[in-house]
Amino acid sequence: MLRKSTVGKFREILGGNNCWDSPEDVICYSYDAAYEEPVPPDIVVKPGNYDQIGKIIGLCAEENIPLVIRGAGTNLSGGTVPLSGGCVLLTTGLNRIIEFNTEDLYAVVQAGVITAELALEAEKHGLFYPPDPASMKVSTIGGNVAENAGGLRGLKYGVTKDYLMGVRFYDVEGNLVIGGGKTVKQATGFNLPGLMVSSEGLLGVMVEFILRVIPKPESSKSLMVVYSDIIRACETVAEIIASRIFPATLEILDNFTIKAVREAVKTEFPTDADALLLIEIDGHPEVVNEEFDRILKICNSFNGVVRVANSESERDKVWEARRMALSSLSRLRPTVILEDATVPRSKVPAMMKAIQEISAKHDITIGTFGHAGDGNLHPTIITDKRDRDEMGRVKKGIDEIFHAALKLDGTLTGEHGIGFLKAGYLEGELGAGTINFMKKLKQGVDSKNILNPHKMNL
Amino acid sequence: MAGIIDELRELEDSIIRCMKCGTCQAVCPLYRKDLVEPSVARGKIALIESVYEGRLEKAGDILKHLEYCVLCGRCRQNCPSDVKTDEIFLKARAVLKKIKKMPGWQKGLLGFVMDHPEQVTKLLPFIHVCLRIGSRRVGDDVLRPLMPLMSERNVVSVKKEPFVRKYKGLNYAENERMRVLYYPGCSVNYVYTNWGKAVVETLKYFGVSVYVPEVVRCCGIPAATMGDIELYRKMVNLNFDYFAAIGTDYVITSCPTCEYGLKEMGGRETKRESPFRIVDILVFLDEVLKIDFTMPFDKKISLHLPCHYDCTHSDLPGRFLQRHFSSNYIPLENTDCCGFGGTFSLKYYRNSKEIALAKAVELRDKRIDTLFIACPGCAMHLTDAVVSAGCETGVLNPIEVLYEGIRKGSGHSSLHC
């Protein structure tokens, strides 16, 4: 609970309309899109300019109030849940695209700009902003940078960090910090954009970004490949990449997910298939055609049955089915736990096998789909959080999924971040030395631990 | 209090499906304006949950957030997990109204208006005259009241005589091939009386005799949105009994909200199956009568799709315009709700109007001559916004123009059965 006088100070900064402290308001900021227990903040603020942000940080630092930054709150690891209360600062009020430069190919945007809106703006100029997290219609750029969001195009186009040229943020003392800039090459000082990517709100309050945009590919082609054995599908993925072909997207759906999608959208999916690969290649028309032929041969050699989406509407159907994967699974049981353990792509077959074994061993239901092309699978556990016994088994299953990924030289998280749900596993991947370094870094820039405390166990 | 919490807990099985993904933010007209969580479905769901899970003590305090919702249904249509948000919110409102009771006068007035439609009819000349005297004319049939609290609104005039006074009973069609019942609803009966006339005359032209009730009982939706679900059920039952007594195969409507309240929601809430089909006039003309009628309408036209328009026919109004009117049809980029929401706009007028104005600005910029709307609520609200935005766009129901075409003989048609 904040003192009345403190609440008064917040109101003074923000005016009456953009500051909330009653229970029925703050409870709406006690959760994100993950499955953890909710914890409400003491106060929620929605600043409309940088000056207010500087003052809010100053007030929090002075009165030792934890400060948690939140965009759309679609994150999947508990990162925006205010574990020890305090102040939630919304970036949604800072939603301007400040500049879109079509000569030097960059955009300057505020933290609260919605990803899809930036992508649309790029498209209007015949350009392309590739990172496309599934939540892009609502997620904010600030959140995308804070979590290093990925999406379906990681294999060929990379993720948010590959598009971040510059960042402006306020440190815990309220100073404006400028990292990177508008030039392709820049070697001035520390690589602060690199540091702030996936910093999950622990190092500063990011307000503005300079993002790279690229020319839009001229043409594309989509195909769906049906397999009677999922391991063969995974081997196809490894072989496509070994043959030096980089599809724009290379997605896999397992049998359980296929059935769920078919049930939810009543689409004509081959439910007897053990797995589907959905592939899209793009680029110069001639290159697309040539790569397409080579992919056909590879798929055939692994007994995949190829169906080509010839028309625009067929193509839309294929990708609509992929987009429906998570939601179709979520309709089956009350609780959905979406993991994103990621392995080097050549290890995708081994990871897939491990997931199947874990599912059988603990008697838990896991539907797996995901970005096979970049090794980022989404084993999705469907369960009921009210069933304690089952949740115990789920917890063990999650542990083992992480261990399997690490054993295969993979990582805990490809695109969802650590938050606090995965904090306990961090040392297992990075080692004590790294944790110590991160702690010192955090203490150095935020000695009172005001910024998003407890996340990543810091 | 324990009873209230138990009643809210009955919603748990529907609520637990919400995985808090936040997809609803993309489509919620209020979230897109406010950018805060209590405005959007995910926030409201979390509030109900926190009451029955014991994390929020004062249950009554969440009602204001639950009532701050246009009930446009977009969150439900776009929910990946198929959470039935509109049903959840209406039920929760009804439960919480037991703690935060409607003021006595409001409940009394609501009950009186619904129970005594004939008395409301008697008041019409009085309302009509008051509105005329106490207002300034700002457009064809549009008035701006001079009262301080109402002075931002541009109101479509309330008519002296209800629609049913002239059309009650059976309106015979020459060459009768079918009989139907037309349920005009309150807005057509009191405000858009010319829509009612157009519906009846057009149906007659196509060989359909139309029975019009002597007294129009409210569909009950205003009671439901204000949390009085019992009164709502009572109205649905009264109307169903009446339709059944008349013995018709089709009940024609020209208000999608009445249609929704009687058909989809009415069936669900009263668990009654109707022996008649409740159907919008445009759907009836195109799919049952399959009319073949085209007429010139030399204007730049566009369409607003009402939220409650029969979701199995959401592409019909657009098709209707293109099939029957030869004109310059320009779809709108802004496909949002108009922001009206019936009782919502009474309580949150400024928020409601802000949403409508965004649409009016597009109409102005694109210089649209006529905006077609097949819903009296949306039509009233967007008329208000259009006048405020200083744009020349006229708001019409397609049936009005179709009837004009028939009357003037400007169209050509052939009849099919």
Side-chain angles (χ1 to χ4, degrees), chain A residues 20 23-25 27-29 31-33 38 46 70 72-74 90 92 95 137-138 327 330-331 334 384 386, chain B residues 12-13 16-17 20-22 25-26 31 34-37 42-43 46-47 55-56 61 64-65 79-82:
Chain A
W20 302 269
E24 71 276 14
D25 285 310
I27 240 164
C28 294
Y29 298 93
Y31 52 82
D32 60 10
K46 181 171 153 260
R70 180 181 174 112
T74 53
L90 301 179
T92 52
N95 54 0
K137 278 187 186 160
V138 293
S327 51
S330 81
R331 290 175 185 211
D384 188 336
R386 296 168 295 188
Chain B
E12 184 178 348
D13 283 340
I16 202 161
R17 301 178 72 97
K20 309 280 191 302
C21 65
Q25 291 173 5
Y31 180 84
D34 304 333
L35 303 169
V36 294
E37 200 79 13
R42 176 171 75 162
L47 284 169
R55 279 177 282 113
L56 192 62
D61 289 349
K64 64 172 184 220
H65 290 322
C79 177
S81 307
D82 198 22

